[in-house]
Amino acid sequence: MGEPTEGASGALDALNRRASRARVPVWALWELTHRCPLACRHCYLEGAREGAELDARETDLLLRELADAGTVFLVLSGGDPLVRDDFLDVVDRARELGFAWKVLTSGMLVDDAMADAIAARLPLEVSMSLHGLRRAHDEIASRPGAFDAVLGAARRLIARGVRVLLKTVVTPAGAGDVAAVRDLCDRLGARHVVSTRHIPGFDGGEAQDPFCLSDAQLAGQLDGGASAPVGPHRLLRPDEALCNAGRSALAISPRGDVRACLLMREVCGNVRETPLSEIWRGEAMRRLAGLVAGGRARCASCADAAFCSYCPGLAEAETGDPLVPAEAICREARLRRERYEARA
Amino acid sequence: MERYYTRSRTVASRVVAGEAVLVRMPDARLYCLNGRASRMWVRADGRATGLALADGFEPSVARAFLDEMVSAGLLERSSSPLEVAEAFPQNVVWPEAPPASEAPEIVDSQPVDTTAGCIPPETEIACYGLPQTFSV
């Protein structure tokens, strides 16, 4: 056997490269439902196209199609997938079909019995949002007791050997709590990640504005709150792909709409009407898979390019065009450069 | 005595572009197999013997690979066959056969960090803002 490798340049990167070259959707994010016990004030699902969720027969068929397509990692998301009565049935079927699965949940429904059931089904990880400490989280989630529910769920799962990830999407209300939340996660034994980007809502995005960070707040949270500024990175070649969306990743909505990623709004097809394999090979998905760095005309001479972590999905969600940068992306890159130059 | 090999039920797996990707779920560790090892993996249905899995390849080398897979908890070994073969849960389209000299091998192994699903390979700044798409 070759020497095992640790870190980002090992087997997973090799798999991503191989899958992208061969266009195999090894990553699938499936929103099982948009229903959720919480009503987070910055939730981007506001205005999302609704309709009947895929039923048991459709769910089974989709899982089979994903297996044959080569999907390895199945991320069950929502809403909160646990509100579906058949959530555990879906997981059982996914395991029978050989998926490595994980779930994103609000944590509100993870009692002892559900924690037992999840642990027995060997998830890669259970992910929950933690918007800040108690006051900030409950306020943003619009639900008193939500903070305690997340902590309770995390403790139950961790006690059963389940890996838990808590994610903080930083808002002005929760920005001051990030360090304390990180400490809390350390004490719990949970992984913690921070996101500074807010996703425009399906209804147009203006509702996101109150949740945008000031420049000072954002600069303090960039790169996971790293104390040392992140330096310039290698520029993508003009012919290099912008991300893996549509190349080795896809997203599916509760009603079966297939998109290249969760953020991209363009629907490439619906599994109720078209086999997944045809959608994946179809013109719309191939076009999105073919987005390359050189297609971003506005970025060609940007002084911040080496500090930019461009996201075509966020760009499309904000501007309607995956190749026209979102203001949020440009602001991050500018702040990252300024922070780096100030230290340098 | 004949020994029979079955893919462990605690392992998730797929064949991607002719090579098997295995995820040992209890500790979320990813394994990648080469072409010959991938064919052996897919055929380990609980009714296949070590000799059958070797498929003409040098038996001692094949046996060493199977031992390694069993030690890693990826394969289960039994002295009796399963009553019903466990079909591989994917219709696999194999590319051309591996070279005759290619020995079965685990080519790489790494803990899974699924934060990176959307990130283009080889860029140095991670996609911090992704909404849990493949992070999470």
Side-chain angles (χ1 to χ4, degrees):
Chain A
M1 158 179 180
E3 283 297 304
T5 54
E6 305 283 341
S9 59
L12 194 59
D13 259 11
L15 170 62
N16 277 333
R17 276 193 292 273
R18 183 152 45 98
S20 290
R21 271 198 305 271
R23 279 206 70 224
V24 176
V26 291
W27 302 85
L29 183 138
W30 181 4
E31 296 171 313
L32 281 175
T33 180
H34 282 168
R35 291 175 287 144
C36 183
L38 303 180
C40 294
R41 292 164 57 199
H42 59 311
C43 182
Y44 61 90
L45 290 176
E46 193 65 36
R49 195 157 74 116
E50 298 293 353
E53 294 164 4
L54 298 181
D55 63 21
R57 186 190 60 80
E58 293 166 326
T59 293
D60 187 71
L61 179 61
L62 177 55
L63 286 171
R64 286 172 179 275
E65 289 188 292
L66 287 168
D68 283 339
T71 298
V72 182
F73 300 102
L74 180 66
V75 182
L76 301 174
S77 180
D80 186 342
L82 272 61
V83 304
R84 271 185 68 142
D85 293 337
D86 63 350
F87 169 70
L88 293 175
D89 297 332
V90 173
V91 173
D92 285 341
R93 188 64 181 132
R95 289 208 60 223
E96 284 172 16
L97 289 171
F99 292 97
W101 72 283
K102 63 192 302 180
V103 61
L104 282 60
T105 172
S106 69
M108 299 297 291
L109 304 173
V110 184
D111 56 12
D112 282 330
M114 180 55 80
D116 284 341
I118 289 173
R121 288 164 174 81
L122 301 175
L124 281 174
E125 195 166 63
V126 174
S127 177
M128 294 175 278
S129 290
L130 198 53
H131 305 307
L133 294 177
R134 182 175 287 107
R135 194 172 78 173
H137 182 82
D138 288 0
E139 179 192 322
I140 293 166
S142 310
R143 175 86 180 251
F147 175 84
D148 292 323
V150 171
L151 259 56
R155 288 194 177 103
R156 285 182 203 104
L157 291 163
I158 289 167
R160 289 160 174 81
V162 176
R163 287 168 293 276
V164 169
L165 171 70
L166 296 176
K167 177 172 178 177
T168 303
V169 178
V170 188
T171 62
D177 292 348
V178 173
V181 170
R182 188 177 298 121
D183 289 344
L184 178 60
C185 290
D186 285 345
R187 291 199 300 276
L188 285 169
R191 213 155 65 89
H192 181 233
V193 295
V194 172
S195 173
T196 51
R197 289 181 180 171
H198 290 263
I199 314 307
F202 279 80
D203 60 356
E206 289 182 7
Q208 300 292 305
D209 292 347
F211 301 100
C212 286
L213 302 173
S214 67
D215 277 7
Q217 286 172 323
L218 179 55
Q221 298 296 341
L222 281 174
D223 308 322
S227 53
V230 171
H233 64 80
R234 178 181 70 81
L235 292 178
L236 292 171
R237 296 187 311 271
D239 63 344
E240 223 170 326
L242 286 165
C243 72
N244 290 333
R247 293 158 53 86
S248 61
L250 58 78
I252 302 159
S253 80
R255 64 188 303 279
D257 287 340
V258 180
R259 309 198 301 274
C261 92
L262 180 65
L263 293 189
M264 289 188 175
R265 305 298 154 92
E266 180 173 349
V267 175
C268 299
N270 186 287
V271 295
R272 282 182 166 136
E273 299 156 3
T274 311
L276 181 69
S277 57
E278 285 184 28
I279 298 171
W280 181 250
R281 291 195 307 265
E283 188 276 332
M285 191 67 84
R286 278 191 288 113
R287 177 168 36 78
L288 294 171
L291 296 175
V292 291
R296 301 168 300 170
R298 289 196 199 171
C299 301
S301 58
C302 179
D304 303 330
F307 296 85
C308 178
S309 69
Y310 193 87
C311 171
L314 188 62
E316 198 230 35
E318 187 173 308
T319 69
D321 184 338
L323 296 173
V324 175
E327 194 276 337
I329 300 172
C330 298
R331 188 163 74 117
E332 270 192 18
R334 173 178 57 80
L335 289 170
R336 196 177 275 122
R337 176 182 54 76
E338 289 174 357
R339 194 161 172 251
Y340 177 76
E341 289 176 352
R343 292 287 181 96
Chain B
M1 187 170 74
E2 292 281 25
R3 295 300 187 103
Y4 300 86
Y5 293 85
T6 316
R7 296 176 298 275
S8 169
R9 291 183 180 182
T10 63
V11 176
S13 75
R14 267 322 157 247
V15 175
V16 177
E19 295 182 2
V21 179
L22 281 50
V23 183
R24 192 172 64 185
M25 295 300 285
D27 64 350
R29 191 167 188 94
L30 177 75
Y31 293 83
C32 296
L33 308 185
N34 69 3
R36 183 172 304 280
S38 300
R39 284 163 167 79
M40 293 173 73
W41 169 257
V42 168
R43 292 204 314 270
D45 61 1
R47 295 185 64 82
T49 63
L51 201 58
L53 293 176
D55 195 23
F57 198 78
E58 167 59 39
S60 62
V61 176
R63 195 178 310 120
F65 167 72
L66 292 171
D67 287 347
E68 183 184 2
M69 295 286 280
V70 171
S71 299
L74 302 169
L75 281 176
E76 292 169 4
R77 181 162 43 204
S78 169
S79 55
S80 56
L82 293 180
E83 284 190 16
V84 180
E86 295 217 343
F88 193 68
Q90 174 189 13
N91 289 320
V92 179
V93 179
W94 294 103
E96 60 194 45
S101 60
E102 181 185 275
E105 188 183 29
I106 299 173
V107 292
D108 210 347
S109 165
Q110 167 188 14
V112 175
D113 175 359
T114 47
T115 309
C118 275
I119 300 170
E122 297 174 2
T123 50
E124 294 170 16
I125 281 191
C127 214
Y128 297 103
L130 280 175
Q132 312 250 355
T133 310
F134 303 101
S135 95
V136 279

